[in-house]
Amino acid sequence: MLRLEKLTKTYRTGDQALKAVDLEVPKGQVLALIGPSGAGKSTLIRCINRLVEPTSGKVWLGDVELTGLGAAACAANGGAWASIFGNTRWSNA
């Protein structure tokens, strides 16, 4: 299961891309993110896969809190997802 708790991302410019996002994607479920340019879709994905650090909040993949992992540990757990430009997939089976 993928779970987001109050995920927030504010850039140095003060622009807030994500504001306290809560989301739960049950095991085996498929999710599509659809919205206009600038809505925060890419930022959300990048915060989940840790290409961008969220300002606050938590990201869980199963029992692992990804936001609590250091860079090396996150890379070691990186086999749980594959990120492809325009398309991100998580092994949530």
Side-chain angles (χ1 to χ4, degrees):
M1 171 184 5
L2 173 67
R3 188 173 78 243
L4 311 179
E5 298 175 357
K6 307 291 184 216
L7 198 66
T8 298
K9 177 60 183 176
T10 304
Y11 290 99
R12 289 183 214 163
T13 60
D15 294 329
Q16 191 170 47
L18 304 173
K19 183 177 180 181
V21 175
D22 289 319
L23 176 69
E24 190 170 300
V25 182
K27 186 175 181 176
Q29 185 173 346
V30 176
L31 172 75
L33 295 175
I34 301 170
S37 179
K41 302 175 303 292
S42 294
T43 301
L44 179 68
I45 291 169
R46 289 181 179 130
C47 283
I48 292 169
N49 65 19
R50 298 287 303 276
L51 292 177
V52 170
E53 284 297 314
T55 305
S56 63
K58 295 181 181 182
V59 176
W60 294 82
L61 186 59
D63 294 335
V64 178
E65 182 192 344
L66 300 179
T67 44
L69 298 176
C74 192
N77 281 282
W81 63 75
S83 195
I84 303 167
F85 182 77
N87 185 15
T88 300
R89 298 182 185 131
W90 288 274
S91 175
N92 196 19

